[in-house]
Amino acid sequence: MSSMTASLKNLREKPWIWSYLGMLVVWLATISFTGGKGGGDVITAALSFATFTVIVGIGQMFVITTGPGNVDLSIPANIALSGAVAMKVMGGENEMLLVGFAASMGCGLAVGIFNYSLIRVLRIPPIIATLSASFLILSTAIAYGRGLKIKPPLLLSDFTTLQIAGIPVLALFIIVVATVMSVVLNRTLYGRSVLAIGQNMRAAWLAGINVERIRFATYVLSALMAALCGFLLAGFSGGASLNMGEEYLLASIAVVVIGGTSVAGGKANVPGIWGAALFMFMLVTMLNTFGASAGIRLIMTGLIIVAVITIAGGDKPER
Amino acid sequence: MTTTQIVNFEAVAKSFGAVRALVDVDMQVVAGECLGLVGHNGAGKSTLMNVLAGTLSADTGVIGIHGQNLTRHYNVAVAHDHGIRCVFQELSLCPNLTVAENARIFHASLKGFGWKKRAGKMIIDKLDEIFPQHGIQADDVVGDLTIGRRQMVEISRAFTVSDEPLHLVILDEPTSSLDVVAARQLLSFVRKVVSEGQSCILISHMLAEILDYSDRILVMKDGEVVEEKLAQEYDRDSLVAAMGNVVESEAIEAHEENIKIRGKTPLVVKAVPRTQTGGIEFCAHKGEIVGLAGLASNGQKRMLLQVFSAADRHLNDTRVEGPVALVAGDRQTDGIFHLWSIGQNVGVRSLKNMVKGWLIGRDQEDAMASKWQAKIKIKTPDMNNNILSLSGGNQQKALFARALGSDAEIVLMDDPMRGVDVGTKLEVYDQIRKEAEEGRTFLWYTTEMDELFNCDHVYVFRNGQIVSELSRSELTEEKILQSSFKESA
Amino acid sequence: MKRYLTNPKFLRSALPAASLLVLLAAIFYIQPRAMSQFGMNLMLQYAVPIALATIAQMFIITVNDLDLSIGPFVGLTACIGATLLNTNPLLGVLALLACIAAYAALGALIHWRNLPSIVVTLGMSFVWLGIAVLVLPTPGGTAPDWVKAIMSFKVPGIPFPLIAAAIIAVVVHFALMRTSYGAVLRGAGGNPKAIGRAGWSLLKTKMIMYAAAGFFGVLAGLSLIGLTSAADAHIADRYTLYSIAGVILGGGEFVGGRVSPTGAVLGALTLTLTGSFLIFLKISPDWQIGAQGGILILVLALRALINRREAQA
């Protein structure tokens, strides 16, 4: 009995379990519909596509964890800009790969700094700051990348699409990144500070945490992750396009929440992001397999997000 | 006797999980009396009042109001209908609304044409009655008022009457944000109301207030009523004894023999309040306990924050030598990380010293938690429990442990003992004096006169300015009160 | 007088109107021909649906929530308006009422489970879009004639959008800021606990605010098709951003129930004019969206400046 309540308590402390369970159920439903065919392919595809959601999801998670009202809405614009810049800098040449990577990271850094300075200097709520920043960034991307049709260097497109025994190498790479980020969140001074700020910014300041430096680092981190996503995504999909980031706004927030991170801040976990990203992709695959129309697919996606958050329940602190 | 009984609680009990917050409490309130309620933090006073106000429901027991058994379906609305009002410890005003609108929230019947005018008149009239010269307008937005004025609005609102009856007002630590003048005004008003046949329940940690202004005193301990007598049968000592405090308050007096002579140790803090030009400088020497006195919110906290923010940078008007830590008085907004364990809350200020390589050492964190649990007697079975599982006083101890356990050489205290029980206080005073002996410097803002007698040196604040400076040997209650009220020339 | 003009409180409340006037002056300076009833009508015609959507968002923000689905929702009501409402008015009205009821239910759900509105409405944005796609798979449909008639209503001398905006502002201001229950509704944003303790139902306040948002969302959708006459599921995707920006430009704050209906309407007008301003400036369309962000930042910077001054005082 006591071991059962203990394991129940354990389960409650690991909210990411649910996203993996959901993923499993959806996968089973899909392959039972197809009679077992294509089960492996679904996993391969899910891993490839979820990778990009996970990259931006991790950055978004750190931002959301710094407390209510903190969210990075500039991710899609950032993906578009950094992807475009990288493609243009590299011009399809393998030798320029590192330079291109540095260029897109530079973009990310600039976006992060810009976002944060809006928040800090103008004291704008982060939602508005990143929203207005995204307008400017997107305009820059449009003006810069007009008519851009440059293929990524072969090395990059090969790397982003490489698979070993049906497992995308990029996914393995991002699993390592996620593991590192999980340690960063729970065991480093930076991660602890993020969690403290998310619970109570003023108390964090009075406990000697350099709140502004941590928030700065967090917005820069999120922007860097978005830039990384833009760089890899451009390689993966054979070139940068201006709207390639669009779906990642909702996706980045959705995976963070479904993964069990508290929207009220101060409580986060990385494994859940992977689970949620796989779950979201498999859900759409399942609906496709069932032959659902576009409208139904949208409705189901939406209802599942609402259902997940309803079951997970709110954990807003009483303020 | 032909007194009307208003409240009759019989064997009311309430548990939160394993914690028995109320154990078979009997309580009666009759018309025209002021009932004092005392007890340590966590003794169950607030829980009992929440049950009476209808914001918490009792597990078992009988709730009788005006002779009716209302145990079933007792809630806020029923309490309200029976004329029972409560001024809660944390404020129940809407900061985005005006004073008049807040009055309207309280009275469902204030509606229809001209409601704003009526609501405004109602609340301002009551403010005039209780706190003459309050300086509050009906269309002031509450969020723009000082905390003391907000408290005045909140209290006055509880005494306003529209078409619902008013029989009993519960005042839970009503004077905590009021200055001495306003507190006196309120307490005399309570006597007036009581003489007119209404009743009050008064909860306060200021035992003098309870002794002087209530008719009957109920003493609670560990969720039970342990004693109940007429107020005149108590004096301070017997009341403290009834609450279960065997620790003598003479401990404070012992300190007087140990007065330090200023200036023998190096200066560690030197500052002038931003709102002051020239005049007295605020100074603290190493190993001193420096008091910041005066009426509530007269610039003391601002002074502390000025020192706090000067610790990691160089400012012209503030010099601070050495790392600083702050003990928050307003736990919820300034101190507690509600999702974390007690241990994490204690350790957060010292994480930098626990880092090995890149990572925070788990062992160091646990070691610090258990060390301070023993040292400052935090009452919990496990330091890994959530911080909110502690009673208020013990949460405060955890915040003390956070500061005392850190590398800070200067500890700032923002009236941290407000609303903490006497037992905890005396334990912490001891700790502070011990630490000061060992060379730590304490800057201590307090609104409680007694605590100032722990200090080596006291600065009195008024309107954001330091108006007088007293060494321990010159310190008397009278002098502090005089400078707190003195009119500026 | 000078003291009054530099009073931060006054400056802050005057900022929405001032930014609108400055923008208007700039437009008239660049393009004097815009200063006609026809010009104003043209520049401001989309102000009506945007103002209505902004008001809808404002109701949600008042109770400390944020609606990320108002754009798709307006799109859905536009689709219903251009199809069902025209072909089968009774069914159309019922469908629109169901939309409002769905909003009220969302409010109830968010209150009941204490959910973060951002996530719930994020999910609902997919749902609204999905339903809209089912209702109207390809762009088209026709707005009912009476809707078109209302939207092309003409008053000599004054541009219709300004009249409509004034009516919206006055009605909502009265309902939210002047009535006695409006105080309770705003109080639910300022200190919900206190409202609950005073015996009011927080469930009811939240449902009312969400229903009001749904109602104004429906009005926004209908007024939109009154102008375009046809609809599309994606017709109002931008409105989510517009509505949030409008509330903020209008001086509303994200938490604590501090909002201003008049300000929100002014904010919506400012936002609408920004588009025209850029056209008159002959700025490349690439930069239009960026300039919109720029103006938002500019106004917020001014507000920050005023607030800082107040903090110093």
Side-chain angles (χ1 to χ4, degrees), chain A residues 41-65:
Chain A
D41 292 344
V42 171
I43 293 180
T44 304
L47 279 172
S48 321
F49 285 94
T51 303
F52 300 103
T53 320
V54 170
I55 298 172
V56 286
I58 291 173
Q60 187 72 276
M61 180 201 76
F62 276 97
V63 172
I64 287 179
T65 305

Side-chain angles (χ1 to χ4, degrees), chain B residues 32-62:
Chain B
E33 76 164 339
C34 176
L35 177 69
L37 190 57
V38 297
H40 286 177
N41 264 51
K45 304 178 304 268
S46 291
T47 313
L48 183 63
M49 290 307 109
N50 272 300
V51 170
L52 179 55
T55 40
L56 277 178
S57 58
D59 297 338
T60 57
V62 178

Side-chain angles (χ1 to χ4, degrees), chain A residues 144-182:
Chain A
Y144 179 82
R146 177 158 294 283
L148 194 71
K149 280 200 187 80
I150 306 170
K151 286 248 174 287
L154 213 57
L155 212 58
L156 180 63
S157 45
D158 283 353
F159 172 70
T160 47
T161 49
L162 183 67
Q163 293 179 6
I164 297 172
I167 297 171
V169 172
L170 189 60
L172 292 176
F173 177 64
I174 297 303
I175 288 173
V176 173
V177 171
T179 314
V180 170
M181 284 306 182
S182 190

Side-chain angles (χ1 to χ4, degrees), chain A residues 191-204:
Chain A
R192 276 297 180 83
S193 304
V194 167
L195 293 170
I197 291 169
Q199 292 173 66
N200 187 337
M201 204 194 298
R202 189 175 160 81

Side-chain angles (χ1 to χ4, degrees), chain A residues 26-279:
Chain A
V26 170
W27 181 69
L28 287 175
T30 312
I31 58 167
S32 68
F33 188 82
T34 60
K37 265 181 281 174
D41 292 344
V42 171
I43 293 180
T44 304
L47 279 172
S48 321
F49 285 94
T51 303
F52 300 103
T53 320
V54 170
I55 298 172
V56 286
I58 291 173
Q60 187 72 276
M61 180 201 76
F62 276 97
V63 172
I64 287 179
T65 305
T66 56
N70 282 293
V71 66
D72 186 354
L73 298 185
S74 71
I75 284 176
N78 192 356
I79 291 176
L81 180 65
S82 54
V85 168
M87 289 306 114
K88 206 158 181 176
V89 167
M90 291 187 289
E93 314 249 344
N94 280 339
E95 305 81 66
M96 294 295 283
L97 189 64
L98 282 180
V99 181
F101 179 71
S104 71
M105 285 292 119
C107 271
L109 187 67
V111 169
I113 292 173
F114 184 60
N115 277 338
Y116 178 75
S117 43
L118 285 184
I119 297 169
R120 177 80 179 128
V121 180
L122 302 185
R123 308 206 179 158
I124 306 183
I127 296 184
I128 296 304
T130 53
L131 183 70
S132 355
S134 81
F135 287 178
L136 291 171
I137 299 161
L138 196 62
S139 270
T140 315
I142 294 172
Y144 179 82
R146 177 158 294 283
L148 194 71
K149 280 200 187 80
I150 306 170
K151 286 248 174 287
L154 213 57
L155 212 58
L156 180 63
S157 45
D158 283 353
F159 172 70
T160 47
T161 49
L162 183 67
Q163 293 179 6
I164 297 172
I167 297 171
V169 172
L170 189 60
L172 292 176
F173 177 64
I174 297 303
I175 288 173
V176 173
V177 171
T179 314
V180 170
M181 284 306 182
S182 190
V183 175
V184 166
L185 175 70
N186 293 306
R187 294 287 305 280
T188 64
L189 213 52
Y190 167 72
R192 276 297 180 83
S193 304
V194 167
L195 293 170
I197 291 169
Q199 292 173 66
N200 187 337
M201 204 194 298
R202 189 175 160 81
W205 172 57
L206 292 172
I209 291 169
N210 192 331
V211 173
E212 293 311 331
R213 195 180 298 165
I214 298 290
R215 290 183 79 200
F216 171 71
T218 305
Y219 278 92
V220 168
L221 175 69
S222 173
L224 286 178
M225 293 304 264
L228 176 67
C229 179
F231 177 74
L232 295 173
L233 195 58
F236 182 77
S237 42
S241 67
L242 287 170
N243 59 358
M244 74 179 176
E246 251 168 32
E247 62 182 293
Y248 289 97
L249 174 60
L250 303 189
S252 69
I253 300 174
V255 294
V256 170
V257 172
I258 295 176
T261 290
S262 163
V263 186
K267 202 172 86 191
N269 80 82
V270 180
I273 293 179
W274 258 112
L278 292 171
F279 169 70

Side-chain angles (χ1 to χ4, degrees), chain B residues 255-439:
Chain B
H255 178 59
E256 295 189 11
E257 288 150 31
N258 256 325
I259 299 167
K260 287 192 209 77
I261 294 153
R262 233 182 179 208
K264 291 206 163 171
T265 50
L267 197 66
V268 286
V269 176
K270 191 173 166 183
V272 178
R274 299 256 154 82
T275 39
Q276 171 173 309
T277 41
I280 304 170
E281 269 191 334
F282 183 90
C283 294
H285 296 260
K286 192 172 163 61
E288 269 185 333
I289 305 176
V290 177
L292 289 79
L295 303 180
S297 1
N298 267 270
Q300 300 96 326
K301 183 166 184 173
R302 223 178 302 148
M303 181 85 247
L304 289 182
L305 292 181
Q306 187 181 330
V307 171
F308 184 84
S309 27
D312 51 357
R313 74 187 96 154
H314 299 282
L315 297 174
N316 289 331
D317 56 354
T318 320
R319 236 185 67 215
V320 181
E321 309 286 342
V324 167
L326 180 125
V327 184
D330 195 341
R331 282 195 297 279
Q332 299 315 322
T333 58
D334 293 355
I336 294 293
F337 296 107
H338 64 275
L339 295 172
W340 278 355
S341 70
I342 308 163
Q344 283 174 313
N345 266 286
V346 169
V348 61
R349 174 64 181 71
S350 308
L351 290 176
K352 274 179 203 127
N353 305 328
M354 299 178 184
V355 175
K356 268 197 286 182
W358 284 89
L359 303 181
I360 295 166
R362 289 218 171 113
D363 298 342
Q364 279 100 316
E365 221 179 344
D366 291 344
M368 178 173 179
S370 43
K371 176 181 157 197
W372 280 94
Q373 180 181 13
K375 207 164 175 181
I376 208 166
K377 301 195 192 83
I378 298 172
K379 290 191 191 84
T380 177
D382 187 349
M383 289 294 275
N384 290 319
N385 286 347
N386 184 277
I387 182 81
L388 298 181
S389 67
L390 295 178
S391 69
N394 277 298
Q395 287 180 24
Q396 199 65 53
K397 282 187 188 173
L399 294 185
F400 263 102
R402 180 191 292 172
L404 297 180
S406 73
D407 58 4
E409 287 160 21
I410 302 160
V411 175
L412 314 177
M413 299 194 284
D414 172 26
D415 205 3
M417 296 305 196
R418 190 172 52 205
V420 170
D421 62 86
V422 183
T424 306
K425 276 183 184 171
L426 295 179
E427 284 168 30
V428 175
Y429 295 162
D430 275 343
Q431 190 73 37
I432 291 169
R433 281 197 302 267
K434 217 186 296 167
E435 297 268 347
E437 293 296 324
E438 288 161 16

